[in-house]
């Protein structure tokens, strides 16, 4: 079932769909047409990063138009409320991806398993596998592995942020939940999945407190309920294990946050809580809260996109 999102009303329909299935195309990628012409020197489509035959384990790779020996890498993850397993072709290509390419970054846009394919933490395992793939295939794709960052919108922002706050941690316990944060996806298990930086665009960060601000209601089964196959009232530790904020410590890589104050899907208090928790832990961070910004709408102006680039550049140069 193909879904291309043109307006916030349709976003609500996507999140509250009664029959929740993975989306074969389209999806929730920052409110734009899914086909965008990018200026690149090389592109690879549908590269399998896991060494299997599954479309949800494929990625698209873009290299900047200006050719050089190697490129720093940003892995950008689409949003879908974790419902989609194949929306890499709509992963903010005309905005975030284009800006990163113009700034000299190689961009990898991966698919990942949906909540219909597998429950948490399978989605995090997929993103960790992409990070290891970047290191394992660096020579072939001209990746400079001295700098690897993640970025993502909405649930992609959640995955980007959680990959960052769990960077360097393979396994831990969250209350009663023992959680494997690394997984065993792909052929490059000896490679590290550590990150140098991360960008969070409108991501849910504390899944125990999604009612911290006003937002649309999802009925009896929220996207996080479906991802965990649970209820917050029944298993709060599962929701803590899903939350990027749970894993924050002083060793986390620098993280930049963008959130709209009028976001009616993921309330802005999620971004604010993340920012304050990162600062309290001594993690390098910046945050931009856009007064008129919604869930994707009004977020991707040139000022914000360039702020992202300046932050990543500063981390690379050691000035962050």
């Amino acid at each position: 079932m193909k879904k291309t999102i043109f307006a916030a009303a349709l976003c609500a329909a996507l999140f509250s769909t009664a029959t929740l299935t993975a989306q074969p195309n389209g999806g929730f990628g920052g409110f734009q047409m899914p086909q965008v012409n990018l200026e690149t020197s090389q592109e690879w489509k549908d590269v399998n990063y896991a060494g299997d035959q599954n479309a949800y384990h494929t990625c698209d790779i873009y290299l900047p138009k200006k050719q050089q020996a190697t490129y720093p890498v940003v892995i950008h993850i689409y949003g879908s409320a974790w419902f989609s397993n194949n929306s890499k072709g709509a992963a903010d290509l005309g905005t975030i991806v284009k800006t990163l390419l113009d700034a000299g970054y190689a961009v990898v846009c991966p698919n990942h398993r949906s909540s219909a394919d597998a429950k948490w933490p399978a989605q995090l395992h997929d993103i960790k596998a992409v990070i290891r793939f970047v290191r394992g295939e660096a020579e072939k794709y001209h990746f400079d592995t001295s700098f690897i960052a993640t970025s993502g919108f909405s649930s992609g922002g959640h995955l980007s942020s959680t990959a960052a706050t769990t960077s360097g941690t393979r396994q831990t316990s969250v209350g009663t939940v023992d959680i494997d944060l690394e997984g065993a996806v792909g052929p490059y298990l000896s490679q590290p999945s550590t990150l140098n930086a991360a960008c969070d665009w409108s991501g849910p960060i504390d899944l125990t407190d999604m009612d911290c601000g006003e937002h649309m209601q999802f009925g009896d089964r929220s996207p996080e309920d479906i991802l965990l196959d649970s209820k917050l009232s029944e298993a709060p530790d599962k929701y803590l294990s899903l939350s990027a904020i749970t894993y924050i410590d002083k060793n986390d890589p620098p993280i930049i946050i963008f959130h709209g104050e009028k976001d009616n899907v993921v309330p802005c208090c999620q971004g604010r809580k993340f920012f304050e928790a990162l600062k309290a832990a001594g993690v390098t961070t910046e945050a931009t809260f856009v007064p008129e910004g919604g869930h994707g709408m009004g977020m991707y102006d040139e000022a914000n996109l360039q702020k992202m680039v300046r932050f990543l550049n500063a981390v690379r140069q050691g000035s962050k």
Side-chain angles (χ1 to χ4, degrees):
M1 178 172 58
K2 182 174 182 179
K3 291 185 180 287
T4 303
I5 305 306
F6 293 103
L10 290 180
C11 297
L14 172 60
F15 280 124
S16 60
T17 302
T19 302
L20 295 167
T21 58
Q23 315 297 310
N25 291 293
F28 199 103
F31 311 102
Q32 63 181 35
M33 294 296 289
Q35 294 186 354
V36 177
N37 291 322
L38 297 171
E39 291 189 343
T40 60
S41 58
Q42 284 185 278
E43 298 180 11
W44 294 266
K45 298 294 180 71
D46 299 320
V47 177
N48 193 289
Y49 60 82
D52 58 26
Q53 302 299 314
N54 295 311
Y56 55 55
H57 281 154
T58 59
C59 64
D60 296 341
I61 300 168
Y62 305 93
L63 299 187
K65 184 177 181 180
K66 184 179 179 181
Q67 296 188 38
Q68 55 191 62
T70 60
Y71 306 87
V73 182
V74 178
I75 298 162
H76 184 68
I77 310 159
Y78 58 81
S80 70
W82 309 286
F83 290 159
S84 175
N85 64 9
N86 194 3
S87 288
K88 60 184 172 57
D92 310 296
L93 299 183
T95 52
I96 293 171
V97 172
K98 180 182 184 300
T99 299
L100 290 168
L101 287 169
D102 290 347
Y105 289 87
V107 182
V108 179
C109 294
N111 286 331
H112 59 75
R113 282 172 286 179
S114 71
S115 54
D117 297 310
K119 301 309 176 186
W120 179 258
Q123 296 70 27
L124 179 62
H125 293 172
D126 289 349
I127 300 308
K128 295 290 183 79
V130 177
I131 300 167
R132 295 192 300 266
F133 168 87
V134 166
R135 289 192 166 96
E137 295 283 355
E139 184 175 356
K140 179 176 180 179
Y141 296 108
H142 309 287
F143 295 144
D144 175 2
T145 59
S146 69
F147 186 86
I148 303 173
T150 53
S151 172
F153 165 68
S154 192
S155 63
H158 162 267
L159 291 173
S160 171
S161 298
T162 310
T165 61
T166 64
S167 180
T169 304
R170 300 185 64 88
Q171 190 158 353
T172 193
S173 295
V174 180
T176 59
V177 175
D178 292 327
I179 184 167
D180 174 7
L181 299 167
E182 188 72 20
V185 177
Y188 294 109
L189 299 179
S190 63
Q191 295 287 347
S193 62
T194 51
L195 291 169
N196 301 100
C199 307
D200 167 34
W201 294 85
S202 311
I205 298 301
D206 182 355
L207 280 302
T208 70
D209 193 24
M210 288 299 290
D211 290 330
C212 62
E214 292 185 9
H215 65 96
M216 65 176 63
Q217 297 301 309
F218 302 109
D220 292 336
R221 293 272 281 172
S222 69
E224 56 269 25
D225 292 344
I226 294 158
L227 183 63
L228 293 168
D229 193 22
S230 189
K231 289 284 188 182
L232 177 60
S233 59
E234 298 171 359
D237 289 347
K238 282 189 176 182
Y239 291 75
L240 282 171
S241 78
L242 180 60
S243 302
I245 203 167
T246 297
Y247 305 102
I248 292 172
D249 65 45
K250 64 181 181 180
N251 299 314
D252 292 340
I255 300 173
I256 188 169
I257 300 162
F258 297 89
H259 217 119
E261 292 183 358
K262 293 187 176 180
D263 191 328
N264 70 336
V265 178
V266 178
C268 188
C269 47
Q270 289 282 307
R272 293 190 187 279
K273 287 184 69 172
F274 195 29
F275 181 54
E276 294 302 325
L278 289 168
K279 285 197 302 180
V283 179
T284 298
T285 185
E286 288 184 14
T288 297
F289 302 109
V290 181
E292 298 301 316
H295 196 61
M297 303 293 283
M299 295 298 297
Y300 296 151
D301 63 18
E302 190 64 16
N304 284 346
L305 293 169
Q306 291 306 317
K307 191 176 293 186
M308 170 188 66
V309 169
R310 286 194 296 272
F311 184 86
L312 296 175
N313 286 347
V315 175
R316 287 175 58 212
Q317 294 160 7
S319 57
K320 283 287 184 188

